[in-house]
Amino acid sequence: MTITHIKRGKPETERSDDDLKVRSTVEGILKDIEQRGDAVVRELSEKFDNYTPSAFRLTSSEIEALMNRVSTRDMEDIKFAQAQVRNFAQAQRDSMRDIEVETMPGVILGHRNLPVQSVGCYVPGGKFPMVASAHMSVATASVAGVPRIAAATPPFRGEPNPAVIAAMHLGGAHEIYVLGGIQAVGALAIGTETIDPVHMLVGPGNAYVAEAKRQLFGRVGIDLFAGPTETMVIADDTVDGELCATDLLGQAEHGYNSPAVLVTNSMKLAEATLAEIDRLLKILPTAETAAKSWADYGEVIVCDSYEEILQVSEEIASEHVQVMTDRDDWFLENMRSYGALFLGPRTNVANGDKVIGTNHTLPTRRAGRYTGGLWVGKFLKTHSYQKVLTDEAAANIGAYCSRLCMLEGFVGHAEQANVRVRRYGGRNVAYGTAAE
């Protein structure tokens, strides 16, 4: 059994040092937002985005004016992509049923799937205007029936990006804020003089946004830890180096710290992919970002067998996993830790990012070991209820409850059951004793 790294990224110790710096910065800013509210939000917007409007929330007329600047073709494409996301989200919603069952005569148990009452959807956009992120968060929350959807996105080149604003509005956002970074998610979660706090934060973002969500978790709910994008390509000799290199760099261009990993059982393919990456970086317009990311976070791992490939992929638990082999369905059946799978050479991660309908807000930093990505179910809370309809059932279940409470030493609990055994069952149970 041999697993060979023919290219490694930045050592884990250096990545941990970066994380500590981010954590400290975020902690200070969130504390400042809590203490000074709108004032610090405005200071941060001016500092990081050079943007200080009279109000961060867009009015209806401002939204309409921005949407009028979107070309007909772009608007049609936005609507097409949003329809795919809505359709799949609706199918997922339809799979979730409220239930009510009679578990024993006179005892009714059930649950209801209820939407979160307010959500803050963060749509990244300072470096690239992430139009698709609006579909993934805002439109999906709308399908779930969330009654208050507040969406925030940073300015792009000094002003609101018309296409992003159009996608937010069409997706169903009730409030749209042109506000980015820590200040956006902090204001939405903590609340300020002009922004009411939400119950839940969703959406991807850079390392600072992801860390802010981590620190705010508990005060509000979050979808998951969706930090800088990650991609893994699992491939064998059924594909070539150009395809693998293109798929790796297509995600590496997201940012300077986006891990991109090739795992293969072919040394020939590994070497060909490295050569193709060198070639493509000479012509890719976003090469400055992609090259830095590839240098610091890119990896190429060669295994002896498909079983070893599976082992490596499970350990890394990458956000996106592109599988191009002679046994793609075998990986589908056997993989357990990942964000989303892209099976076969005919599809790719960009399809999932932009248009095909599955959600692109996915777990990063190995979180795929314990959670899936954002979906309509993340906006729903499953709440149980119970009813006891008959005197006989109240006395019967009450007697069991009484004895089990006394077994644990909870006399007050037992009396909750005993009083009903007495009233509805007509039994004489001495105070503080177990019902027979």
Side-chain angles (χ1 to χ4, degrees):
M1 175 176 175
T2 305
I3 297 174
T4 305
H5 288 71
I6 67 172
K7 183 193 179 304
R8 292 182 182 270
K10 183 185 288 189
E12 197 62 41
T13 51
E14 290 185 33
R15 300 188 192 190
S16 296
D17 289 342
D18 292 343
D19 291 344
L20 287 173
K21 294 173 186 174
V22 170
R23 187 174 305 167
S24 176
T25 299
V26 170
E27 186 175 6
I29 289 175
L30 291 179
K31 185 176 293 184
D32 212 9
I33 291 172
E34 189 164 17
Q35 293 173 346
R36 299 198 293 125
D38 282 335
V40 71
V41 168
R42 183 166 291 279
E43 290 169 11
L44 292 167
S45 181
E46 184 171 12
K47 176 181 179 181
F48 292 115
D49 294 320
N50 195 27
Y51 184 72
T52 52
S54 57
F56 290 105
R57 181 175 176 177
L58 295 179
T59 65
S60 297
S61 59
E62 288 172 327
I63 293 170
E64 183 179 1
L66 286 162
M67 291 180 67
N68 286 336
R69 291 168 53 187
V70 181
S71 72
T72 300
R73 180 62 178 271
D74 286 346
M75 190 66 81
E76 289 174 353
D77 288 345
I78 288 170
K79 289 179 179 179
F80 175 84
Q82 205 159 97
Q84 310 318 303
V85 174
R86 279 188 178 276
N87 290 342
F88 188 58
Q90 188 62 59
Q92 291 178 307
R93 178 64 184 92
D94 293 343
S95 74
M96 301 178 68
R97 297 188 304 115
D98 293 353
I99 64 169
E100 185 173 281
V101 295
E102 189 169 17
T103 56
M104 57 185 290
V107 175
I108 305 296
L109 306 181
H111 76 226
R112 300 182 67 203
N113 296 297
L114 303 175
V116 174
Q117 292 300 286
S118 60
V119 64
C121 299
Y122 185 71
V123 178
K127 190 175 182 64
F128 299 103
M130 299 286 284
V131 178
S133 285
H135 318 325
M136 305 300 171
S137 58
V138 177
T140 307
S142 180
V143 171
V146 177
R148 179 189 168 218
I149 303 171
T153 190
F156 182 70
R157 296 174 181 167
E159 64 174 359
N161 182 272
V164 174
I165 301 305
M168 287 175 157
H169 180 73
L170 293 171
H174 304 106
E175 304 164 23
I176 297 178
Y177 298 90
V178 183
L179 193 61
I182 306 169
Q183 60 270 28
V185 294
L188 286 168
I190 296 167
T192 70
E193 298 92 325
T194 60
I195 301 175
D196 290 334
V198 297
H199 295 171
M200 182 179 185
L201 287 173
V202 302
N206 61 21
Y208 291 92
V209 169
E211 175 61 20
K213 287 171 64 180
R214 188 191 71 81
Q215 292 188 23
L216 290 163
F217 178 58
R219 178 191 289 264
V220 294
I222 65 170
D223 48 357
L224 63 156
F225 300 121
T229 196
E230 306 166 350
T231 198
M232 173 186 289
V233 173
I234 292 175
D236 61 15
D237 281 326
T238 59
V239 292
D240 56 41
E242 181 187 24
L243 204 58
C244 295
T246 300
D247 286 341
L248 291 166
L249 293 180
Q251 295 301 303
E253 74 175 359
H254 260 287
Y256 297 108
N257 56 351
S258 298
V261 182
L262 170 65
V263 188
T264 181
N265 56 3
S266 168
M267 183 63 75
K268 178 183 175 183
L269 179 64
E271 292 171 347
T273 299
L274 287 171
E276 279 295 311
I277 285 174
D278 289 341
R279 181 183 72 83
L280 292 173
L281 283 175
K282 295 174 183 175
I283 58 175
L284 182 67
T286 54
E288 180 184 356
T289 302
K292 175 66 173 171
S293 188
W294 177 248
D296 288 349
Y297 291 87
E299 294 186 53
V300 177
I301 303 171
V302 179
C303 302
D304 280 345
S305 66
Y306 291 101
E307 288 74 17
E308 286 180 6
I309 291 175
L310 177 64
Q311 176 189 331
V312 170
S313 70
E314 294 289 278
E315 290 172 356
I316 294 175
S318 184
E319 176 189 15
H320 306 100
V321 182
Q322 172 86 41
V323 181
M324 299 182 288
T325 69
D326 65 5
R327 60 198 71 193
D328 299 341
D329 286 341
W330 181 83
F331 282 97
L332 174 63
E333 292 300 317
N334 287 281
M335 289 185 68
R336 298 292 180 266
S337 300
Y338 56 89
L341 291 180
F342 304 82
L343 299 168
R346 292 179 181 83
T347 193
N348 62 85
V349 175
N351 276 350
D353 279 347
K354 309 302 178 189
V355 68
I356 208 165
T358 53
N359 206 291
H360 80 192
T361 303
L362 301 166
T364 61
R365 301 175 70 91
R366 303 185 72 212
R369 294 170 300 157
Y370 56 82
T371 186
L374 182 61
W375 70 297
V376 71
K378 290 278 188 178
F379 296 101
L380 297 165
K381 308 169 294 164
T382 302
H383 295 274
S384 64
Y385 63 89
Q386 58 174 269
K387 295 184 282 188
V388 179
L389 302 182
T390 67
D391 292 351
E392 182 181 5
N396 186 17
I397 200 75
Y400 279 102
C401 180
S402 171
R403 294 192 293 272
L404 290 167
C405 291
M406 292 301 292
L407 179 65
E408 296 178 355
F410 283 107
V411 178
H413 283 62
E415 276 304 307
Q416 289 180 265
N418 286 344
V419 71
R420 287 161 175 84
V421 173
R422 297 183 192 110
R423 292 191 181 194
Y424 298 109
R427 303 185 203 174
N428 185 17
V429 181
Y431 188 89
T433 63
E436 294 301 325

